[in-house]
Amino acid sequence: MGVLIYLIGASGVGKDSLLDAAREARCDWLVAHRYITRASGKGENSIALTEAEFEARHERQLFCLTWQAHGLCYGVGTEVETWCREGATVLLNGSRRALPRARERFGESLVPVVVTAPSDVLRQRLERRGREGSEEIAHRLARHAEVEAELERDFPGLPRIDNGGSLEASLSSLAAIVERLESIHLHDGEECRRHGPGE
């Protein structure tokens, strides 16, 4: 089995930018796209669907994970499960609200990783991407503080990546997490082969 690196964090901390950098630097990692009921934003790896299209795919069980946020529907295709079964390292911009369901679906293959950034950096990024007005940015900054506290309270042991600096530094942190996981999986596989099943 492969692993699903499930990135969570407040809107604007740079999860999509980190995934873009990962896609360019590591062709051996598979970056999953999401299906969303709005047009894809700048630098975002997603496929836009109407609400009717989304519901049609949902009825045909073509999503392995869905959630709603900001009045929109988000879905992750079942192809991600296929990639994991084939032993791939898969990266996904996930949702903390959907994390319990993701854990149920992917089990030990799921590795949640918290991506964070300082509030001043977050404000600059939100202003630069141009999706929100000043009032919405203020709301998102307040929400960011709430999310950070929530993640620290509810998921204190998760790996964290500070994405407030260069993408190169963040990518190095991500690579260290992946390499540690791959080393653990390799060791476990060797133990299974050494002792055989049922021992």
Side-chain angles (χ1 to χ4, degrees):
M1 284 290 289
V3 294
L4 175 59
I5 307 297
Y6 188 89
L7 302 183
I8 55 177
S11 178
V13 296
K15 298 186 294 293
D16 284 317
S17 296
L18 179 56
L19 290 174
D20 282 343
R23 186 183 298 107
E24 291 182 7
R26 297 290 300 261
C27 61
D28 54 324
W29 296 348
L30 303 184
V31 178
H33 56 253
R34 303 179 299 178
Y35 300 86
I36 310 177
T37 53
R38 64 156 166 76
S40 178
K42 181 180 179 183
E44 182 181 39
N45 184 33
S46 66
I47 294 176
L49 298 176
T50 65
E51 291 185 4
E53 288 175 321
F54 191 97
E55 184 58 28
R57 295 186 185 221
H58 190 267
E59 289 178 354
R60 289 169 174 78
Q61 299 183 359
L62 298 178
F63 297 129
C64 61
L65 193 64
T66 61
W67 66 88
Q68 292 185 336
H70 311 299
L72 302 170
C73 297
Y74 292 74
V76 179
T78 53
E79 66 270 14
V80 170
E81 292 179 306
T82 301
W83 298 346
C84 287
R85 282 196 300 269
E86 292 299 318
T89 295
V90 184
L91 277 58
L92 172 68
N93 182 351
S95 162
R96 70 189 182 285
R97 299 296 186 199
L99 180 55
R101 295 196 304 276
R103 279 178 161 155
E104 289 178 5
R105 187 89 184 207
F106 289 93
E108 294 182 358
S109 295
L110 185 82
V111 181
V113 176
V114 177
V115 180
T116 186
S119 294
D120 57 337
V121 174
L122 180 59
R123 176 184 293 276
Q124 294 171 11
R125 288 175 178 170
L126 289 171
E127 291 174 344
R128 191 161 53 242
R129 76 180 186 178
R131 285 189 210 161
E132 300 88 357
S134 58
E135 186 173 326
E136 178 65 14
I137 287 176
H139 173 75
R140 285 187 180 270
L141 288 173
R143 183 62 184 143
H144 171 256
E146 294 175 1
V147 170
E148 282 293 294
E150 178 184 318
L151 289 171
E152 188 64 34
R153 180 188 71 243
D154 296 342
F155 309 108
L158 295 185
R160 300 175 72 88
I161 295 175
D162 183 350
N163 200 29
S166 69
L167 276 175
E168 289 78 9
S170 298
L171 189 57
S172 294
S173 297
L174 178 59
I177 292 170
V178 172
E179 288 166 5
R180 185 164 61 249
L181 290 169
E182 290 175 343
S183 176
I184 292 172
H185 281 206
L186 180 61
H187 177 267
D188 289 346
E190 290 175 346
E191 286 295 309
C192 287
R193 287 191 295 272
R194 183 179 300 118
H195 297 293
E199 294 185 19

